[in-house]
Amino acid sequence: MKKVRKVVSLFLTAVLLTSMMAGCSSSAQTAAAGTPATDSAAPAAASGAEDKVIRVGVICAMTGGSAIYGEGAQNAVDMAVEEINSSDSEYKIEIVNGGKIADDAKDAKQAMNAYNKVMADGPEALVGSFFSSVTLPMAEQAAKDGMLLLATGATNSAVTLKGDTIFRNCFIDPYQGKMAALFVKGKGLTKVAVIYAKDDDYSNGLKDAFIENCESNGIEVAYVGECMTTDTDFSSQTAQAVASGAEFLYYPCFLDTVPLFVGAARNAGFTGIIMGGDGWDGSDTTGLADKFEGCYFTNHYSSEDTAPAVVNFVEKFTAKYGTESLNACAALYYDAMYMLVEAAKNGGGTDTASLVAGMKGMSFTGVGGDITLDENGDAIKSIVFNTYVDGEVKWSETLDADGNLVSSAS
């Protein structure tokens, strides 16, 4: 095992015996038993360099309304592990929990059950989850346990601030809001409206960043409206957005209400661009194809991007699993497996301490583009803008972190 945790005893003989026996338990197992694994620099790392196998616990929503994300994640993880383990890579990957992703059901309590389940299997690193609300409590516990957690879609800026063993390969909410504002500026628009869910941290984060960056770029925020995540009627807010004279409408909410909102906005007479964040990915456009014309959303990747890494991923994934679960979640979990291999190379071992050292400051190119991890463990990366044509999601363009055009569909 990778790390040794010494237990203090009142008697010297007990200390010696405990020290000899502690080598039989990994820090992950110790943490799962309720003792924080803070001895990340313990000398047993040499055994990790010998076995060359990274034991990984993976967590995502496998049931409930977000199960399509978990399906994509499981398929992507399976594909990545198969590729890595059949290649000439010095380091291999073993997924704990029998190779299966532990289900967080997009619920914070269930997420902690999933966390404890995979921790009991002795991982050196954890990957997940896709939603900030379930990742935040896991990140807090992982930091206490000294466990590496690589988040894969949790865009809340507080996630990586939980500790220095927490990283992510997705962008953060303020970045999405900033890039949406730069998109508005690039289109030469001058007046916008925002409608956001006041009971949702994700929506609030994007809204705040969007407004701040609009104002700093001389773009008038003509109307700000509120809703709730459970609302089904947006007629009042959208009517006020139209009355404000806005040319652009920002709706940074999750996919379940997006069809209702877009329909209400178009019915209210709004003809301009409507945009959301990555929470729009997977929105149902059935019967609303004409209303989704002129809608956009920011995302972590597009399956239509012509970058070689994307083309390779999409071709392999589609051949194995079809396109139903080919989403951004799948792409992020796929990249996460390769990032852990890169971390082992950088850190010189598969124990948690080496992997953490190897993650810090990492530069990585994958399906999600060129990524550099900053001092907080956040990904500085390009961002994709997708649009809709005949109700189908289509890639529009990709911008770098400074808002410059990297590539486009046209």
Side-chain angles (χ1 to χ4, degrees):
M1 293 295 178
K2 315 305 192 220
K3 296 183 281 185
V4 178
R5 187 170 183 83
K6 297 182 179 179
V7 181
V8 178
S9 174
L10 294 175
F11 301 100
L12 179 59
T13 54
V15 172
L16 293 173
L17 287 172
T18 304
S19 299
M20 292 171 64
M21 295 174 65
C24 297
S25 298
S26 73
S27 62
Q29 291 168 325
T30 305
T35 305
T38 54
D39 298 339
S40 59
S47 62
E50 290 173 2
D51 63 31
K52 306 290 187 180
V53 176
I54 311 167
R55 288 175 54 79
V56 184
V58 188
I59 301 167
C60 193
M62 304 302 295
T63 57
S66 299
I68 189 63
Y69 293 121
E71 180 183 346
Q74 184 71 70
N75 290 339
V77 167
D78 289 346
M79 189 169 83
V81 171
E82 180 182 349
E83 291 173 359
I84 292 166
N85 291 351
S86 63
S87 73
D88 59 0
S89 171
E90 178 184 6
Y91 295 100
K92 309 299 182 183
I93 290 182
E94 177 188 349
I95 304 300
V96 304
N97 192 39
K100 298 300 181 182
I101 293 179
D103 182 20
D104 64 40
K106 199 185 174 184
D107 175 80
K109 182 177 180 179
Q110 179 62 25
M112 290 310 301
N113 291 337
Y115 175 91
N116 291 329
K117 183 177 183 179
V118 295
M119 284 292 285
D121 213 359
E124 280 91 41
L126 302 182
V127 170
S129 185
F130 191 62
F131 296 100
S132 297
S133 60
V134 298
T135 305
L136 282 164
M138 290 194 295
E140 184 171 352
Q141 188 60 48
K144 293 177 181 178
D145 292 341
M147 176 54 57
L148 188 158
L149 175 67
L150 176 55
T152 52
T155 54
N156 187 300
S157 57
V159 168
T160 53
L161 301 181
K162 296 297 183 180
D164 61 6
T165 63
I166 315 301
F167 305 87
R168 73 177 112 215
N169 64 356
C170 58
F171 42 62
I172 60 176
D173 291 338
Y175 177 69
Q176 284 199 87
K178 168 189 172 182
M179 299 308 288
L182 291 179
F183 181 92
V184 173
K185 181 180 180 181
K187 297 296 183 185
L189 306 177
T190 59
K191 186 180 290 189
V192 302
V194 183
I195 299 173
Y196 72 101
K198 65 180 181 180
D199 60 333
D200 180 61
D201 288 342
Y202 168 84
S203 193
N204 277 272
L206 269 67
K207 176 263 298 183
D208 289 343
F210 178 73
I211 291 175
E212 177 185 347
N213 283 276
C214 280
E215 292 175 345
S216 66
N217 282 282
I219 299 166
E220 179 187 354
V221 181
Y223 170 72
V224 178
E226 297 178 346
C227 63
M228 301 290 286
T229 55
T230 54
D231 284 353
T232 57
D233 182 359
F234 303 95
S235 56
S236 175
Q237 299 97 321
T238 54
Q240 291 179 75
V242 171
S244 74
E247 308 159 286
F248 179 101
L249 178 54
Y250 195 48
Y251 183 66
C253 298
F254 282 109
L255 74 164
D256 51 345
T257 61
V258 169
L260 293 171
F261 180 85
V262 170
R266 296 306 189 205
N267 290 340
F270 188 81
T271 59
I273 292 173
I274 306 174
M275 179 177 284
D278 61 322
W280 277 39
D281 191 19
S283 296
D284 185 5
T285 63
T286 304
L288 298 169
D290 58 328
K291 299 184 187 301
F292 270 86
E293 295 292 324
C295 290
Y296 293 78
F297 66 95
T298 48
N299 209 1
H300 308 275
Y301 104 117
S302 168
S303 62
E304 295 184 330
D305 196 317
T306 54
V310 176
V311 172
N312 179 64
F313 169 72
V314 170
E315 287 180 350
K316 289 184 176 181
F317 191 98
T318 302
K320 279 179 170 289
Y321 310 111
T323 59
E324 184 177 0
S325 64
L326 180 62
N327 48 41
C329 181
L332 291 164
Y333 275 80
Y334 180 85
D335 277 351
M337 297 299 111
Y338 280 93
M339 289 179 73
L340 290 177
V341 171
E342 189 69 18
K345 293 177 183 177
N346 295 343
T350 62
D351 61 289
T352 301
S354 296
L355 292 172
V356 168
M359 288 293 297
K360 291 183 176 179
M362 177 188 291
S363 292
F364 174 84
T365 298
V367 181
D370 296 329
I371 298 172
T372 299
L373 298 183
D374 68 11
E375 64 276 8
N376 292 327
D378 293 329
I380 305 302
K381 59 186 292 187
S382 58
I383 190 168
V384 164
F385 288 82
N386 287 325
T387 188
Y388 296 86
V389 177
D390 296 328
E392 298 292 328
V393 175
K394 296 293 181 181
W395 175 49
S396 175
E397 59 199 71
T398 299
L399 303 182
D400 67 18
D402 296 316
N404 302 311
L405 183 67
V406 175
S407 55
S408 69
S410 58

